[in-house]
């Protein structure tokens, strides 16, 4: 389709573009980056869209501009152009920032690293702030970054649960202090990979920019250092040491809650680094809006950049995490055991990895092969609450409930599309969430053979990878099954 020549208004054009985009990217990404966009006007094949913050503009330009450009050409035709109207969340001055516009032709031919657009629209480089103090004996280049080389991007398994956080972290690592993700605020429950991503940023920055000074520190250690500096009457030295850092990564920032002196000092460090174009990366177990015991002026700054959450990994991501660690450690574990562990340890990446370490230890000590019984005993010790055993019958019932079918519908010989799909979905979850063999699953669901079950699982998996709506359905059904 060369383009729609009829008189479509801006809302219709953008709606057509969204249909094209939605079919090409994961649902979470679409909801995060495209649903908040508002079409403003269409004049002479120039579509103007409003994005809520500058980091939306940057992220779309870096990650999705080719897709958006193609969509525009499909809908408007050749010569289509795109304009952004960006409403800034904050301003370096007390007065509100005006909206501004960035123009790009929808051709995919542009240089994302060209910062002339910033200068054109009033974004000026922050003046360099010289450090007025020099700490005796400290040389900037000799600061140990305190990074664990195992926590790199290559070892981080990406899934829907962490894709936004991973993408933003890589963008920060490539251009520290140069993106709108400053600070980058990573948050989520314990064991989901916040520390891993924070350190991965530091490792990648040191690889790309060896001259930059990177420091990873826990909030607890930061507090201890501050308390010691006050006792030694060297708080100024402490503050200006941290003001020398190019990329500062502070883990568990929520631990500063209620510590007024430490918060005041961090406030001044934050301001200096941010105004000097340095990068801040913060991790927390809660989003900025949910943090308690923090000064409002700090919470406001935490929201300046990008708060990105990490959620509990879904089943497919858990399997990939286990396979990645197995490959890295060079151990032999059957797919049956991998799926069993992934089905029973559902909330915490650290516990998944701990299960494999325990399996390896038991196998080494006993000089025995890693068996299913050993895996079951390890899982029983790691899972905090007794796990409800999921059966094929329960899965059938939940699937029928979801699709509004009668309980015995999956046993029929009918070839109606909706029943065939429901039967295939029930087989897929029975394989992934139970210990039943393919033959046993087929015997319970419609008296099919193991080849039919295997074909059903492959069909569901392929459809999941190509159909966003179906993928969301599977997530909802899995939630019902696990209730």
């Amino acid at each position: 389709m060369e383009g729609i020549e009829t008189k479509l208004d801006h809302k219709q054009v953008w709606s057509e573009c969204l249909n094209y985009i939605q079919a090409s990217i994961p649902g979470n990404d679409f909801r995060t980056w495209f649903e908040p966009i508002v079409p403003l006007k269409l004049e002479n094949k120039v579509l103007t869209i409003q994005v809520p913050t500058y980091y939306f503009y940057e992220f779309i330009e870096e990650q999705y501009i080719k897709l958006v450009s193609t969509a525009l050409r499909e809908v408007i035709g050749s010569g289509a152009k795109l304009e952004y109207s960006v409403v800034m969340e904050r301003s370096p001055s007390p007065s509100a920032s005006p909206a501004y516009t960035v123009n790009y032709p929808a051709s995919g031919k542009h240089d994302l690293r060209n910062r002339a657009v910033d200068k054109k629209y009033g974004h000026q480089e922050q003046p360099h702030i010289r450090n007025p103090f020099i700490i005796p004996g400290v040389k900037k280049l000799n600061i140990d970054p305190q990074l664990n080389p195992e926590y790199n991007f290559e070892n981080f398994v990406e899934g829907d649960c962490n894709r936004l956080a991973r993408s933003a972290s890589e963008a920060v690592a490539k251009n520290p202090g140069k993106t709108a993700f400053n600070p980058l605020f990573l948050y989520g429950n314990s064991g989901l990979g916040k520390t891993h991503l924070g350190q991965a940023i530091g490792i990648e920055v040191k690889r790309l920019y060896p001259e930059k000074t990177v420091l990873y520190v826990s909030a607890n250690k930061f507090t201890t250092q501050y308390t010691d500096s006050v006792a030694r009457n060297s708080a100024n030295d402490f503050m200006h040491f941290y003001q020398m850092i190019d990329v500062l990564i502070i883990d568990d920032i929520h631990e500063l809650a209620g510590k007024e002196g430490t918060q005041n000092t961090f406030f001044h460090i934050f301001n200096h680094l941010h105004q000097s174009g340095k990068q801040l990366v913060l991790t927390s177990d809660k989003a900025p809006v949910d943090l308690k015991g923090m000064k409002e002026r700090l919470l406001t700054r935490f929201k300046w950049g990008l708060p990105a959450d990490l959620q509990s990994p879904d089943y497919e991501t858990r399997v990939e995490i286990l396979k990645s660690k197995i490959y890295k450690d060079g151990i032999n574990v059957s797919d049956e055991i991998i799926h069993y562990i992934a089905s029973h340890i559902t909330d915490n990446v650290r516990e998944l990895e701990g299960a494999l370490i325990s399996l390896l230890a038991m196998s080494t000590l006993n000089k025995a092969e890693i068996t299913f019984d050993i895996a079951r005993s390890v899982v029983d010790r790691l899972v905090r609450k007794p796990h409800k055993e999921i059966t094929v019958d329960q899965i059938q019932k939940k699937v029928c409930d979801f699709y509004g079918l009668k309980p015995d519908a999956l046993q029929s010989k009918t070839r109606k599309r909706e029943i065939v799909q429901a039967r295939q979905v029930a087989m897929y979850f029975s394989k992934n969430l139970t210990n039943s063999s393919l033959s046993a699953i087929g015997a319970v669901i419609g008296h099919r053979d193991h080849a039919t079950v295997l074909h059903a699982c492959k069909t569901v998996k392929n459809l999941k990878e190509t159909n966003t709506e179906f993928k969301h359905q599977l997530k909802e059904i899995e939630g019902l099954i696990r209730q």
Side-chain angles (χ1 to χ4, degrees):
M1 181 170 64
E2 178 60 26
I4 297 175
E5 297 298 336
T6 56
K7 295 290 185 180
L8 295 180
D9 65 18
H10 58 285
K11 293 181 180 179
Q12 291 172 313
V13 166
W14 185 238
S15 178
E16 292 283 347
C17 290
L18 289 182
N19 290 336
Y20 183 95
I21 294 166
Q22 187 172 18
S24 306
I25 65 175
N28 283 348
D29 291 3
F30 179 82
R31 286 190 295 274
T32 299
W33 297 109
F34 290 96
E35 285 190 354
I37 293 176
V38 178
L40 296 180
K41 62 180 178 179
L42 175 65
E43 295 178 355
N44 301 321
K45 292 190 176 183
V46 178
L47 176 67
T48 302
I49 59 175
Q50 178 179 297
V51 292
T53 60
Y54 182 70
Y55 70 74
F56 262 76
Y57 153 68
E58 278 206 342
F59 198 84
I60 290 173
E61 282 295 309
E62 292 176 1
Q63 301 294 329
Y64 296 119
I65 190 58
K66 289 184 179 179
L67 178 61
V68 175
S69 299
T70 303
L72 280 171
R73 290 198 305 274
E74 288 287 325
V75 177
I76 299 177
S78 60
K81 294 183 179 181
L82 180 67
E83 288 186 358
Y84 299 85
S85 177
V86 186
V87 179
M88 296 293 286
E89 281 186 342
R90 63 179 181 85
S91 170
S93 64
S95 59
S97 265
Y100 60 92
T101 301
V102 180
N103 300 303
Y104 270 126
S107 63
K109 297 177 181 179
H110 54 271
D111 182 5
L112 298 180
R113 285 181 287 272
N114 183 355
R115 309 312 297 171
V117 73
D118 286 348
K119 184 176 180 181
K120 179 179 178 181
Y121 294 100
H123 289 261
Q124 300 177 358
E125 293 293 328
Q126 295 287 350
H128 176 67
I129 301 176
R130 292 185 178 276
N131 185 352
F133 293 90
I134 298 176
I135 303 175
V138 175
K139 293 184 178 179
K140 185 176 179 180
L141 295 179
N142 291 337
I143 295 175
D144 184 348
Q146 305 291 316
L147 297 171
N148 182 342
E150 294 298 315
Y151 288 155
N152 54 57
F153 285 123
E154 185 177 348
N155 291 339
F156 187 87
V157 177
E158 181 178 320
D160 286 345
C161 56
N162 57 37
R163 185 166 286 113
L164 172 59
R166 163 71 178 262
S167 298
S169 296
E170 288 188 319
V172 164
K174 291 175 183 176
N175 293 289
K178 305 294 185 184
T179 73
F181 313 147
N182 195 15
L184 176 61
F185 193 99
L186 304 171
Y187 68 94
N189 292 332
S190 177
L192 298 182
K194 303 185 298 295
T195 298
H196 190 143
L197 276 182
Q199 293 224 4
I201 291 170
I203 289 169
E204 186 69 0
V205 170
K206 290 300 292 182
R207 185 184 73 83
L208 296 174
Y209 308 97
E211 75 284 358
K212 288 190 179 294
T213 303
V214 176
L215 181 64
Y216 164 89
V217 63
S218 69
N220 184 57
K221 185 173 183 179
F222 181 89
T223 302
T224 301
Q225 291 174 343
Y226 167 73
T227 304
D228 290 344
S229 72
V230 172
R232 296 193 307 268
N233 199 28
S234 59
N236 281 338
D237 285 350
F238 169 82
M239 182 184 299
H240 292 292
F241 168 81
Y242 275 94
Q243 288 176 342
M244 293 193 299
I245 309 302
D246 295 314
V247 179
L248 178 59
I249 307 158
I250 297 192
D251 209 359
D252 295 327
I253 195 69
H254 55 271
E255 292 189 1
L256 297 189
K259 299 168 183 175
E260 186 171 339
T262 309
Q263 288 186 40
N264 286 335
T265 299
F266 180 65
F267 172 80
H268 295 298
I269 292 170
F270 183 107
N271 282 347
H272 178 92
L273 294 178
H274 198 274
Q275 292 168 11
S276 302
K278 310 301 183 183
Q279 180 69 48
L280 292 113
V281 179
L282 312 173
T283 78
S284 171
D285 63 356
K286 293 181 178 66
V289 69
D290 295 322
L291 287 176
K292 306 297 182 184
M294 288 283 190
K295 289 182 174 293
E296 185 60 33
R297 61 182 185 174
L298 269 182
L299 292 178
T300 299
R301 281 157 176 77
F302 292 168
K303 300 172 189 175
W304 277 0
L306 175 67
D309 68 325
L310 290 88
Q311 301 171 356
S312 296
D314 56 26
Y315 174 79
E316 298 291 344
T317 305
R318 297 195 298 270
V319 169
E320 289 304 313
I321 289 169
L322 291 170
K323 287 183 176 180
S324 174
K325 182 143 185 78
I326 287 168
Y327 177 80
K328 178 185 172 186
D329 292 346
I331 57 179
N332 186 24
V333 180
S334 69
D335 285 346
E336 181 186 28
I337 291 175
I338 292 173
H339 289 291
Y340 178 79
I341 295 173
S343 297
H344 288 75
I345 301 179
T346 60
D347 297 326
N348 194 304
V349 175
R350 202 170 293 144
E351 287 181 359
L352 282 174
E353 296 177 339
L356 285 181
I357 293 171
S358 297
L359 280 178
L360 180 59
M362 291 182 68
S363 174
T364 302
L365 291 173
N366 298 330
K367 297 181 180 179
E369 182 183 354
I370 298 176
T371 65
F372 187 83
D373 287 339
I374 292 176
R376 186 193 298 272
S377 67
V378 167
V379 169
D380 288 343
R381 287 199 299 273
L382 287 175
V383 176
R384 293 188 178 96
K385 297 178 181 178
H387 194 279
K388 181 182 74 172
E389 194 70 26
I390 297 174
T391 67
V392 176
D393 285 334
Q394 290 170 343
I395 290 173
Q396 284 192 96
K397 183 178 184 306
K398 295 293 186 181
V399 170
C400 287
D401 289 345
F402 180 84
Y403 287 110
L405 302 174
K406 294 181 179 179
D408 59 351
L410 304 190
Q411 307 302 324
S412 67
K413 299 295 184 181
T414 179
R415 300 299 300 170
K416 288 184 178 179
R417 183 177 179 276
E418 62 270 20
I419 294 179
V420 170
Q421 185 173 84
R423 186 185 298 122
Q424 290 176 333
V425 168
M427 290 177 174
Y428 170 82
F429 281 118
S430 296
K431 176 180 179 293
N432 290 336
L433 302 182
T434 75
N435 302 323
S436 301
S437 65
L438 296 178
S439 298
I441 293 170
V444 176
I445 304 179
H447 306 287
R448 265 61 173 183
D449 59 21
H450 77 282
T452 302
V453 177
L454 185 60
H455 172 73
C457 294
K458 289 181 179 178
T459 300
V460 171
K461 183 178 179 182
N462 289 338
L463 188 57
K464 174 185 175 183
E465 292 173 351
T466 57
N467 188 308
T468 303
E469 182 179 353
F470 182 69
K471 184 176 182 179
H472 290 310
Q473 286 184 10
L474 291 184
K475 283 189 176 182
E476 190 172 343
I477 293 171
E478 182 176 355
L480 293 174
I481 292 171
R482 292 186 180 280
Q483 284 180 352

